[in-house]
Amino acid sequence: MSFLRKSVHLLGSVARRQQHLKVIGGAISTAARDYSSKPSEDYANFPGAKAPFVSKLNLIQPEDYAPIPIYRVMDQDGYIADETQDPQLGREVVEKMFRDMVLLNTMDKILYESQRQGRISFYMTNFGEEASHIGSAAALEMRDLIYGQYREAGVLVWRGFRIDQFIDQCYGNTEDLGRGKQMPVHYGSRELNFVTISSPLSTQMPQAVGAAYAMKLKPNNDACVVCYFGEGAASEGDAHAAFNFAATLGSPVILFCRNNGFAISTPSHEQYKGDGIAGRGPMGYGITTIRVDGTDVFAVYNAMKAAREYVLKENKPVVFEALAYRVGHHSTSDDSTAYRPAEEIEVWNSVEHPISKLKRYMVHKGWFDEEVENEYVKDIRKKVLKQIAVSEKKLKPNWREMFEGVYAEMPQHLIEQRTELEKHIEAHKEHYPLKNFEK
Amino acid sequence: MNIKTAQLGHSLHNCIRSNIKCSLGSRSHFTYYPTSLGSGKRMNMFNAINNAMDLALDEDKSALLFGEDVGFGGVFRCSVNLRDKYGSQRVFNTPLCEQGIAGFAIGVANTGATAIAEIQFADYIFPSFDQIVNEAAKYRYRSGGLFDCGSLTFRVPCGAVGHGALYHSQSPEAYFAHTPGLRVVVPRGPIKAKGLILACIRDPNPCIVFEPKTLYRAAVEDVPTEYYTSQLGKADILRHGKDVTLIGWGTQVHVLLEVAETAKLKLNIDCEVIDLVSILPWDTDAICTSAKKTGRVIIAHEAPLTQGFGSELASYIQEKCFLHLEAPVKRVTGWDTPFPHVFEPFYMPDKHRCLSAINDIVNF
């Protein structure tokens, strides 16, 4: 009996210490402050939570918590405020960061226009979020597995996905790795460890948690999983599932939220009332959390480095929120000036733009040559335009591939259906666009 | 191993011990007809499932088993002792969230590891419908084969149990039968359950095994203790006959076997009884061969009539066997109502309704 009582006390004091650890920078609750003066005997013995009793009624208000601060390395003029936070990246790496962001931005502009001209059926740009992609991708290893939403093409750019691969996917031609089965921007690459994008929002989140769990069990695992999603997607039930499974089961996964202020037309204040997505991490799910300026490529880089190290060392998840602004329309099917002022967009497209910020940093360093960069942009434009001309002329895969990949092997009923269509097309070929498809 | 499997599959035909009747108490609507292979260890269906998962976890070190309350052995005892044997990293409880279980399982399978996920009752599979239908089923297709989740198996207790009412009785196989990319199977007893589960775990496609929960304890057979698989996509002809084809799956197979026996004794009608086993992809050849032979077909399932899987069978048979049919294809099913509590005896497609349908169809 006495042993039991002792162990209960022990549990209480352990829980109390953990309580302190969970109070993160700037977010100290009044409730937590009250607890600290009480002796550990006051901890209640309910299995559902370890906490002290209080004798005064106190409704815990969201306002009792300070918002989680935003980690920033570089100000909008490209100056590093605290030298200890300078990642000290070499010129070569910074130049790759800059050029990959520019490449993505340039490709986006042209592909967006080509959709407007009816040359591809659909497109989604990445304007304003380039630093979240590149900064995070640069801090990872190629063996780390990526699950994305659809606005993370920069991660692929960093990993070496080529312009022709992007554009071939948008055209669904015979070179498309996805065999023309999905809409444009639904990229995937086995080689680059980037799991194929799908349209249903947040479904990738519990999947990433499962993948991380399975990877954790492999001997000498040194790879983590990163799952990207928007702040709108974080409202889905799957996001809740992912946060909670990752925490309870211990998955080395970085749950990376791109909070860009909008889900199509819905502003974030209609999406949630708490402290963004980061606010859900520490108290809500018991997950270590980081919030960064997503327009600052160095802040994203540093934070991802730390997050990666943490998840692999601890076999626990991290909630990572990168704040940015969706400068472009949601997609080519959207005109965002219908729900937000053009002046607001302009601010984020100039002084607050991630590419401008890095450019200013490079100017201070003496690493920026206007002429060389203009040439680079011109060259990328030329390559993208040329690739569009090439990709749109390429044939689509043989239409019979429509029946392939449903199952690992084609079952009898699909073989029969394919034969039925073969016979039909043979008899009515003039009604089908056969010349555009491989024979 | 393959030879053994093939032999086993073959010997499953004509091996129903039709003279043995189990006493299952007055609440049960069926008499269990065990399959006999002549040897094996006496097991009920949850023992056989436990044995199957034990073999799977032993054979494949990447295999993980998880779901709600799986750790202590499961609410139907299917995973009993497995956590002790394989550790809490491989056999574990998840939070109570079906969409999470399904999504997590897909992710595990994406890495090539084997995922055996349990949804506690088929009635609660709907929160994971999006993950199963939009994600699991389409993974390989949409990625052009770059990624898949083929090493994934869902185990899902289903079907009537006497008093399960709306949310512990459903048979949702037809919802999933409409989803290209999935395999859906239903065992009728311990031997089949073990074979199907092991086959599904090894199959390179996402699979759902709907396990009729009323059979967990009631169905007892001598189950081979070694590793074997049951062929997927293949129906079992359990009783040969020339007059009427009776098609069912799961518990309903046992109702139909009793009906066939009664029809022979009382009406001198020879019924062929087929356990469809696989709902998707299903064995069109076995069904059409039988339908063409007898010219009369009855399909019976517990799920509601409208858009039940019987509709797919009936229309396919009508299309492929039109000139051989002597009567319209008849469906004997649950009614188009939610599954009721106190009215269960009136809801079920029981032996009396099936026998009555035989009478109608031979006198058409």
Side-chain angles (χ1 to χ4, degrees):
Chain A
M1 195 64 192
S2 62
F3 168 74
L4 256 181
R5 188 171 292 172
K6 243 181 215 163
S7 60
V8 166
H9 289 173
L10 208 71
L11 258 181
S13 53
V14 169
R16 193 172 143 221
R17 222 165 289 142
Q18 280 172 347
Q19 181 75 32
H20 282 294
L21 286 177
K22 280 181 188 170
V23 173
I24 52 153
I28 301 165
S29 74
T30 50
R33 282 198 296 269
D34 286 345
Y35 298 162
S36 58
S37 60
K38 303 267 183 174
S40 59
E41 287 82 67
D42 279 7
Y43 275 80
N45 201 24
F46 299 108
K50 292 291 167 233
F53 286 115
V54 290
S55 52
K56 283 208 167 52
L57 176 63
N58 183 25
L59 306 186
I60 309 298
Q61 303 291 347
E63 296 76 29
D64 296 340
Y65 295 83
I68 292 175
I70 305 156
Y71 172 66
R72 183 169 88 163
V73 171
M74 182 167 60
D75 65 17
Q76 62 183 39
D77 297 320
Y79 289 109
I80 290 181
D82 178 348
E83 285 303 325
T84 66
Q85 298 303 303
D86 187 340
Q88 310 276 5
L89 297 171
R91 179 172 181 171
E92 218 170 288
V93 177
V94 174
E95 275 181 356
K96 176 168 163 57
M97 284 177 156
F98 184 79
R99 289 191 161 198
D100 279 2
M101 283 158 72
V102 168
L103 185 154
L104 178 64
N105 188 277
T106 310
M107 186 172 68
D108 271 355
K109 283 177 182 153
I110 301 171
L111 286 175
Y112 180 82
E113 281 311 315
S114 70
Q115 193 283 333
R116 299 328 258 172
Q117 296 161 13
R119 296 173 78 173
I120 55 175
S121 63
F122 179 77
Y123 196 70
M124 298 177 108
T125 63
N126 302 279
F127 301 140
E129 298 187 55
E130 294 89 343
S132 309
H133 305 182
I134 300 299
S136 59
L140 297 171
E141 299 294 333
M142 189 65 106
R143 57 183 176 272
D144 298 329
L145 184 63
I146 309 289
Y147 284 81
Q149 177 167 301
Y150 50 62
R151 214 184 296 281
E152 295 88 13
V155 176
L156 278 166
V157 172
W158 179 268
R159 290 193 163 204
F161 208 60
R162 302 186 311 265
I163 291 172
D164 59 299
Q165 291 178 309
F166 280 114
I167 298 176
D168 283 339
Q169 194 284 330
C170 289
Y171 277 97
N173 63 32
T174 187
E175 301 293 326
D176 170 20
L177 296 171
R179 312 308 300 153
K181 281 166 175 164
Q182 289 207 86
M183 285 173 77
V185 312
H186 290 55
Y187 309 116
S189 169
R190 182 94 228 175
E191 201 189 341
L192 303 179
N193 264 328
F194 190 100
V195 179
T196 301
I197 299 292
S198 74
S199 308
L201 288 180
S202 315
T203 48
Q204 81 280 14
M205 296 179 66
Q207 293 171 15
V209 174
Y213 186 90
M215 283 160 63
K216 169 179 92 169
L217 298 191
K218 288 183 181 170
N220 308 318
N221 174 54
D222 59 351
C224 70
V225 176
V226 181
C227 178
Y228 294 87
F229 55 98
E231 90 286 353
S235 295
E236 291 280 2
D238 275 326
H240 162 62
F243 279 44
N244 203 27
F245 277 53
T248 54
L249 298 174
S251 284
V253 62
I254 299 168
L255 296 160
F256 189 113
C257 178
R258 297 177 294 95
N259 189 338
N260 62 18
F262 294 90
I264 305 188
S265 75
T266 305
S268 50
H269 64 84
E270 291 175 21
Q271 199 67 246
Y272 53 74
K273 284 291 167 213
D275 180 23
I277 308 308
R280 298 173 195 175
M283 287 296 270
Y285 293 97
I287 304 178
T288 299
T289 297
I290 302 170
R291 170 179 271 168
V292 304
D293 176 356
T295 66
D296 173 355
V297 72
F298 296 140
V300 178
Y301 175 84
N302 281 351
M304 276 301 270
K305 269 265 184 248
R308 183 177 191 277
E309 212 166 281
Y310 174 87
V311 300
L312 281 176
K313 184 159 167 261
E314 304 288 334
N315 276 328
K316 285 178 184 170
V318 161
V319 168
F320 192 114
E321 187 180 34
L323 296 166
Y325 186 92
R326 197 194 75 215
V327 172
H329 302 303
H330 164 68
S331 74
T332 48
S333 310
D334 172 50
D335 173 10
S336 67
T337 54
Y339 50 82
R340 58 184 192 179
E343 307 84 68
E344 179 182 303
I345 303 173
E346 192 39 43
V347 174
W348 292 95
N349 202 19
S350 51
V351 283
E352 294 290 355
H353 198 280
I355 296 181
S356 319
K357 287 182 189 175
L358 186 57
K359 179 179 163 180
R360 283 175 217 129
Y361 170 86
M362 291 171 76
V363 169
H364 306 321
K365 281 270 186 189
W367 293 350
F368 191 80
D369 183 327
E370 193 81 44
E371 213 168 292
V372 173
E373 290 310 328
N374 286 344
E375 270 310 306
Y376 178 73
V377 173
K378 237 198 260 173
D379 181 52
I380 293 293
R381 281 190 64 85
K382 222 193 291 174
K383 278 187 178 138
V384 172
L385 285 166
K386 195 174 149 210
Q387 188 58 47
I388 287 175
V390 171
S391 290
E392 71 185 350
K393 280 197 203 82
K394 285 183 193 166
L395 292 175
K396 313 286 185 213
N398 187 311
W399 60 264
R400 287 171 189 82
E401 277 200 36
M402 174 168 73
F403 295 94
E404 285 173 16
V406 182
Y407 294 90
E409 282 177 20
M410 200 179 296
Q412 190 57 32
H413 70 283
L414 278 182
I415 294 173
E416 284 165 18
Q417 289 173 27
R418 189 182 60 185
T419 308
E420 186 181 333
L421 183 56
E422 260 165 6
K423 283 183 186 153
H424 173 80
I425 288 180
E426 192 49 40
H428 304 281
K429 27 171 120 46
E430 68 278 17
H431 300 303
Y432 296 90
L434 289 174
K435 65 174 170 41
N436 301 332
F437 292 79
E438 262 196 341
K439 295 268 180 311
Chain B
M1 208 54 91
N2 280 337
I3 294 165
K4 187 164 274 170
T5 305
Q7 283 171 341
L8 253 171
H10 200 71
S11 58
L12 283 178
H13 300 253
N14 305 317
C15 54
I16 301 298
R17 278 188 278 163
S18 56
N19 54 340
I20 295 174
K21 292 188 181 174
C22 308
S23 169
L24 289 166
S26 56
R27 299 215 54 177
S28 183
H29 69 286
F30 67 99
T31 301
Y32 187 71
Y33 285 71
T35 297
S36 173
L37 302 170
S39 68
K41 192 177 158 201
R42 208 159 166 72
M43 295 184 198
N44 63 24
M45 198 166 86
F46 82 65
N47 299 144
I49 290 166
N50 182 266
N51 176 233
M53 296 196 292
D54 189 357
L55 292 172
L57 287 160
D58 185 54
E59 184 213 35
D60 174 0
K61 300 301 174 216
S62 81
L64 305 178
L65 172 61
F66 51 89
E68 295 158 13
D69 305 302
V70 163
F72 88 114
V75 296
F76 293 112
R77 314 312 295 146
C78 292
S79 53
V80 80
N81 292 332
L82 296 178
R83 183 171 64 184
D84 288 342
K85 197 165 173 188
Y86 298 101
S88 56
Q89 285 206 311
R90 295 185 61 197
V91 180
F92 52 93
N93 293 334
T94 65
L96 206 163
C97 180
E98 285 76 13
Q99 66 195 102
I101 293 170
F104 185 89
I106 292 168
V108 169
N110 285 157
T111 69
T114 296
I116 311 168
E118 179 181 301
I119 301 290
Q120 205 161 67
F121 286 86
D123 312 68
Y124 308 127
I125 200 170
F126 301 112
S128 59
F129 201 62
D130 183 43
Q131 283 286 357
I132 296 174
V133 171
N134 272 332
E135 295 291 315
K138 299 173 174 55
Y139 234 101
R140 187 192 314 272
Y141 189 79
R142 72 174 184 219
S143 68
L146 297 179
F147 295 92
D148 68 73
C149 59
S151 54
L152 156 63
T153 301
F154 291 106
R155 288 185 42 249
V156 193
C158 73
V161 71
H163 49 269
L166 286 80
Y167 307 113
H168 299 82
S169 309
Q170 292 181 67
S171 298
E173 65 273 9
Y175 291 104
F176 297 93
H178 197 55
T179 306
L182 296 179
R183 272 194 189 279
V184 181
V185 300
V186 189
R188 65 172 179 278
I191 294 174
K192 203 73 190 172
K194 177 177 170 182
L196 286 175
I197 285 173
L198 287 174
C200 284
I201 288 170
R202 201 172 263 193
D203 187 73
N205 301 291
C207 300
I208 305 177
V209 186
F210 284 114
E211 302 166 358
K213 63 176 120 20
T214 195
L215 302 179
Y216 278 137
R217 285 170 191 279
V220 180
E221 287 167 355
D222 293 329
V223 181
T225 50
E226 72 270 25
Y227 190 106
Y228 65 90
T229 57
S230 194
Q231 199 180 343
L232 301 171
K234 187 89 177 58
D236 290 339
I237 300 169
L238 301 178
R239 179 188 173 111
H240 292 279
K242 59 177 174 30
D243 300 325
V244 181
T245 299
L246 305 178
I247 308 168
W249 49 91
T251 318
Q252 194 64 21
V253 167
H254 304 286
V255 175
L256 296 178
L257 284 166
E258 188 178 354
V259 165
E261 213 169 275
T262 313
K264 181 65 187 166
L265 283 173
K266 298 205 172 148
L267 310 169
N268 199 30
I269 294 167
D270 258 348
C271 292
E272 183 145 299
V273 178
I274 302 182
D275 177 1
L276 190 66
V277 184
S278 286
I279 306 297
L280 185 73
W282 62 282
D283 190 346
T284 53
D285 289 348
I287 299 302
C288 289
T289 305
S290 179
K292 284 176 183 170
K293 179 175 74 176
T294 63
R296 292 180 169 86
V297 180
I298 293 172
I299 304 148
H301 56 67
E302 291 178 12
L305 175 76
T306 301
Q307 291 296 343
F309 195 65
S311 315
E312 172 61 24
L313 292 171
S315 71
Y316 191 89
I317 293 164
Q318 178 273 135
E319 189 183 332
K320 302 290 180 188
C321 314
F322 184 66
L323 295 175
H324 300 265
L325 291 177
E326 304 289 346
V329 176
K330 175 74 186 160
R331 291 170 290 159
V332 185
T333 70
W335 307 113
D336 286 342
T337 68
F339 199 107
H341 189 215
V342 302
F343 308 126
E344 180 170 322
F346 305 96
Y347 174 90
M348 296 296 286
D350 64 6
K351 59 186 172 190
H352 309 293
R353 282 178 56 205
C354 292
L355 201 59
S356 163
I358 292 178
N359 238 324
D360 292 349
I361 206 172
V362 292
N363 294 315
F364 180 79

